[in-house]
């Protein structure tokens, strides 16, 4: 079991994990946030939210300046505040939107690019100001699917042919460059982090968190609301914990499980 006296790193998803799925509050996690600060354990956000959303949130969480993973792994900000797009720093948001626009004649879907701030606010429960931050995307698009299941499979193939990948968050589908993802981004960030190797604990609730939860030493699968289960490829069951609670209560439960058990 990991313990607070060894070099640790916590990697966390936001919506439905550290943040409540509906209210975006994190009250149940505050005690652990204080403890992690006391022990100087880095807390790395790994979310499908944008950098524009994550930076003010880091400030409110007291972790400003920490590296983070945004847009499902298509964007990474390093310890020295360099922001890069993965996998190869080339595919911009505009380029992704252009490729998606070419598929709009064949399939029915709507992206954050096409919605207004009030529309995104109404779908998500974010304020209009926060919805605006969620629409400041650098390297991935969020979409609402409006076509049939059959068309969805063909759409997925068409995306692959365009060099794009698809993943599912708690609320939305996300289109990003092929080869990017939360797991790839975490591996990249760990490889580019200075200092000693750290034992990693990851927490997430959605199918898009699975690659991140496969890439950490200890995985907390937080009870989510998505109908799609979180399926991990790893088989080391002793290093995986499934919570009974949703959101920040589950987040607290997961850290309690791995960090407060007698050694
Ligand atoms: O797809 C979704 O359900 C969420 C998931 O975000 P996480 O990876 O769970 O932090 O992300 C989208 O919606 C959020 C609002 O509910 C926005 O804040 C994000 O920018 C957007 O990517």
């Amino acid at each position: 079991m990991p313990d607070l006296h060894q070099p640790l790193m916590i990697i966390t998803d936001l919506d439905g994990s550290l943040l409540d799925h509906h209210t975006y509050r994190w009250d149940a996690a505050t005690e652990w946030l204080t403890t992690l600060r006391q022990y100087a354990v880095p807390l790395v956000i790994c979310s499908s939210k944008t950098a524009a959303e994550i930076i003010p949130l880091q400030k409110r969480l007291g972790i400003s300046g920490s590296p983070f993973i945004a847009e499902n792994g298509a964007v990474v900000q390093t310890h020295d505040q360099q922001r890069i797009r993965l996998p190869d720093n080339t595919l911009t948001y505009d380029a992704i939107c252009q490729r998606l626009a070419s598929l709009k004649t064949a399939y029915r879907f709507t992206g954050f690019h096409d919605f207004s701030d009030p529309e995104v606010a109404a779908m998500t429960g974010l304020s209009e100001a926060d919805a605006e931050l969620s629409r400041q995307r650098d390297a991935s698009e969020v979409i609402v699917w409006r076509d049939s299941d059959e068309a969805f499979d063909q759409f997925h193939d068409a995306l692959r042919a365009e060099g794009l990948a698809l993943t599912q968050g708690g609320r939305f589908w996300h289109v990003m460059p092929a080869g990017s993802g939360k797991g790839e981004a975490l591996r990249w960030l760990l490889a580019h982090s200075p200092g000693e190797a750290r034992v990693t604990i990851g927490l997430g609730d959605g199918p898009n968190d699975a690659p991140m939860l496969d890439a950490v030493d200890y995985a907390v699968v937080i009870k989510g609301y998505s109908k799609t289960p979180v399926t991990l490829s790893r088989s080391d069951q002793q290093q995986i914990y499934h919570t009974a609670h949703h959101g920040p209560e589950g987040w607290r439960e997961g850290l309690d499980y791995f960090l407060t058990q007698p050694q």
Side-chain angles (χ1 to χ4, degrees):
M1 281 289 169
D3 87 83
L4 279 165
H5 297 97
Q6 68 189 141
L8 284 178
M9 180 188 282
I10 310 294
I11 299 98
T12 186
D13 171 50
L14 291 176
D15 292 2
S17 298
L18 178 56
L19 308 183
D20 180 86
H21 179 80
H22 305 286
T23 64
Y24 302 102
R25 294 177 64 98
W26 62 84
D27 307 59
T30 47
E31 224 173 291
W32 264 116
L33 292 173
T34 307
T35 306
L36 296 179
R37 228 182 347 264
Q38 278 165 358
Y39 284 83
V41 176
L43 177 61
V44 174
I45 288 174
C46 181
S47 171
S48 63
K49 289 186 186 291
T50 60
E53 291 177 283
I54 290 173
I55 288 168
L57 192 62
Q58 281 189 315
K59 202 168 175 191
R60 293 169 61 208
L61 291 166
I63 56 166
S64 286
S66 297
F68 63 79
I69 294 164
E71 299 197 34
N72 264 314
V75 173
V76 173
Q77 183 151 309
T78 61
H79 64 283
D80 53 1
Q81 317 301 307
Q82 286 190 57
R83 193 173 309 163
I84 66 147
R85 289 188 296 268
L86 292 179
D88 48 18
N89 221 5
T90 51
L91 209 51
T92 62
Y93 182 56
D94 285 348
I96 291 173
C97 289
Q98 265 171 29
R99 291 183 194 191
L100 281 172
S102 70
L103 297 173
K104 284 217 173 97
T105 46
Y107 306 100
R108 278 181 292 128
F109 62 91
T110 313
F112 267 26
H113 186 74
D114 314 301
F115 286 121
S116 64
D117 297 340
E119 283 170 331
V120 170
M123 283 186 295
T124 58
L126 293 174
S127 67
E128 285 188 23
D130 285 344
E132 196 269 326
L133 298 178
S134 81
R135 294 182 60 246
Q136 288 184 30
R137 309 199 74 87
D138 288 324
S140 71
E141 177 61 319
V142 186
I143 63 165
V144 176
W145 184 248
R146 304 187 182 284
D147 215 321
S148 66
D149 289 353
E150 199 186 30
F152 187 79
D153 293 338
Q154 293 165 10
F155 174 69
H156 200 169
D157 290 342
L159 288 178
R160 275 194 212 103
E162 293 279 355
L164 299 171
L166 192 64
T167 191
Q168 190 177 18
R171 281 192 174 83
F172 300 107
W173 287 99
H174 298 258
V175 176
M176 55 217 207
S180 62
K182 289 189 178 187
E184 285 85 348
L186 177 60
R187 274 188 285 271
W188 187 94
L189 193 62
L190 293 174
H192 292 82
S193 294
E196 59 194 334
R198 289 175 180 271
V199 172
T200 51
I201 304 177
L203 304 101
D205 73 316
N208 57 336
D209 294 312
M212 178 269 280
L213 294 171
D214 275 326
V216 290
D217 296 313
Y218 296 89
V220 177
V221 184
I222 297 179
K223 189 175 182 183
Y225 293 101
S226 169
K227 278 183 235 141
T228 315
V230 179
T231 311
L232 304 191
S233 310
R234 60 196 291 169
S235 54
D236 51 349
Q237 293 305 322
Q238 282 154 322
Q239 298 190 193
I240 304 171
Y241 178 72
H242 292 262
T243 73
H245 296 95
H246 292 280
E249 285 79 13
W251 201 90
R252 171 176 63 191
E253 182 192 337
L255 288 192
D256 285 349
Y257 178 80
F258 280 127
L259 292 173
T260 62
Q261 281 197 34
Q263 296 300 304

